Amino acid sequence: MEKILGTDIVTQIGLIVRDIETTAKDYAEFLGQPVPPINPTGTYDKALTQYYGKPTEARAKLAFFHVNQNLDIELIEPDEKDSIWREFLEKRGEGVQHIAFNIRGMKETTAKLVDAGFPLTQKAEYVGGRYAYFNTFDKLKVDIELLENDSDL
Amino acid sequence: MEKILGTDIVTQIGLIVRDIETTAKDYAEFLGQPVPPINPTGTYDKALTQYYGKPTEARAKLAFFHVNQNLDIELIEPDEKDSIWREFLEKRGEGVQHIAFNIRGMKETTAKLVDAGFPLTQKAEYVGGRYAYFNTFDKLKVDIELLENDSDL
């Protein structure tokens, strides 16, 4: 059967949180792991973040916990500016916002998903790669994120 | 660091859905996997389901997609009776309800979690094992499920 993403391996569970310092500490304690570094996403000049096709200066603070082979829990604390993260927080409150897949060929895969009826909601660059979020909620009951890392290419 | 569960490996992402036949088909198409079997949870005489410490005849239909080593996406369609699944659907609508961990020593681990301030919300037996849900939402922004399989003991 054709895999629209070229993969069916889930590599991230992404949660939107209001206070990443507190939640990262609570996860660390619960999982029995060290508190991970908490880092902001890049500024617009580096990230070139697009939200519904328009530039946004929105940023988020991120923290990662490794919870299985090739699987991370990602905590995301959005700032106040317009983003898919802020939108989720305002609509649904804290909770799981996305599952992610590592893919190759962001441009081609994005075109396939859009053709299949899944709108691109946000995309940006990060050091060593790029991400894109798609609204898959109606069908999958969670949004998806694609990650393309240059080291995988 | 002490792992309260004895593990930090996430083995399930559990989603509550309204129409499991449709959503299972949509996931199968999206992932490029066959449509999995959809099976009901056991009747009360076998499952002995307890919701907040009281027997409930609530059941759910379940379907599983394998999406990484030791990681499944679980779709759950609750029936109308009182359950943690129905509670989630009514409070938050469709979406990711839990992440699960496979543990050994359900009784001891349950006691540890309750002591740590995470209430046991629902538990039951299934063929070959047992599960328990805990309200971890305040701290982890998602509930957790423990799974104990007799084959792992």
Side-chain angles (χ1 to χ4, degrees):
Chain A
M1 303 180 73
E2 200 220 347
K3 297 195 187 306
I4 192 169
L5 305 181
T7 178
D8 59 3
I9 299 176
V10 172
T11 56
Q12 255 181 20
I13 304 167
L15 295 102
I16 303 294
V17 305
R18 288 187 196 281
D19 175 352
I20 198 167
E21 279 78 12
T22 299
T23 306
K25 220 174 122 191
D26 287 338
Y27 262 94
E29 195 178 337
F30 190 83
L31 296 171
Q33 295 189 8
V35 179
I38 295 170
N39 289 310
T41 59
T43 49
Y44 179 75
D45 57 309
K46 286 175 189 146
L48 304 171
T49 310
Q50 302 264 322
Y51 173 60
Y52 294 113
K54 292 191 180 153
T56 178
E57 294 197 353
R59 298 171 71 189
K61 291 195 274 184
L62 308 179
F64 297 88
F65 292 91
H66 196 58
V67 293
N68 201 333
Q69 190 176 336
N70 305 318
L71 180 69
D72 289 334
I73 285 179
E74 177 186 26
L75 304 182
I76 305 166
E77 182 194 308
D79 68 12
E80 298 292 327
K81 293 177 186 149
D82 286 345
S83 70
I84 198 66
W85 310 307
R86 167 60 47 185
E87 184 185 321
F88 182 92
L89 189 59
E90 285 172 9
K91 272 194 198 160
R92 291 181 60 92
E94 295 177 295
V96 176
Q97 176 246 348
H98 75 261
I99 56 174
F101 299 82
N102 282 54
I103 58 107
R104 297 177 190 203
M106 185 62 89
K107 209 172 155 180
E108 300 74 10
T109 312
T110 294
K112 273 192 204 173
L113 285 176
V114 170
D115 275 358
F118 301 114
L120 171 66
T121 55
Q122 183 169 310
K123 66 174 185 169
E125 301 287 319
Y126 54 81
V127 178
R130 61 209 53 79
Y131 75 73
Y133 287 104
F134 295 83
N135 183 345
T136 54
F137 194 90
D138 283 354
K139 291 213 164 178
L140 306 185
K141 314 310 174 185
V142 67
D143 278 352
I144 68 144
E145 182 185 26
L146 303 185
L147 300 164
E148 182 179 54
N149 291 316
D150 296 331
S151 57
D152 293 336
L153 301 181
Chain B
M1 302 179 73
E2 201 221 346
K3 299 197 186 303
I4 191 169
L5 305 181
T7 178
D8 59 3
I9 298 176
V10 172
T11 56
Q12 252 181 23
I13 305 168
L15 294 102
I16 303 294
V17 305
R18 289 188 195 280
D19 174 351
I20 197 166
E21 279 79 11
T22 300
T23 307
K25 222 175 120 192
D26 287 338
Y27 262 95
E29 195 178 337
F30 190 83
L31 296 171
Q33 294 188 11
V35 179
I38 295 171
N39 290 309
T41 59
T43 48
Y44 179 76
D45 58 308
K46 286 175 187 147
L48 304 171
T49 309
Q50 302 264 321
Y51 173 60
Y52 294 112
K54 292 191 180 154
T56 177
E57 295 198 351
R59 299 172 71 189
K61 292 195 274 185
L62 308 179
F64 296 88
F65 293 90
H66 196 58
V67 292
N68 201 333
Q69 190 176 337
N70 305 316
L71 180 70
D72 290 334
I73 285 178
E74 178 185 25
L75 303 183
I76 306 166
E77 182 193 308
D79 69 12
E80 298 292 326
K81 293 178 185 149
D82 287 345
S83 69
I84 198 65
W85 311 306
R86 169 59 46 186
E87 184 186 321
F88 183 92
L89 189 60
E90 285 172 9
K91 272 193 197 162
R92 291 181 61 90
E94 295 177 295
V96 176
Q97 177 244 349
H98 76 261
I99 56 175
F101 299 83
N102 283 55
I103 60 109
R104 296 177 190 204
M106 185 62 91
K107 209 171 157 181
E108 300 75 8
T109 312
T110 294
K112 274 191 202 174
L113 284 177
V114 170
D115 276 356
F118 301 114
L120 171 66
T121 55
Q122 183 169 309
K123 66 174 185 171
E125 300 288 319
Y126 54 82
V127 177
R130 59 212 53 83
Y131 74 72
Y133 287 105
F134 295 84
N135 183 345
T136 54
F137 195 90
D138 283 354
K139 291 214 165 176
L140 306 184
K141 314 309 173 186
V142 68
D143 278 353
I144 69 147
E145 181 185 27
L146 302 185
L147 300 165
E148 183 179 54
N149 291 315
D150 295 332
S151 57
D152 294 336
L153 300 181

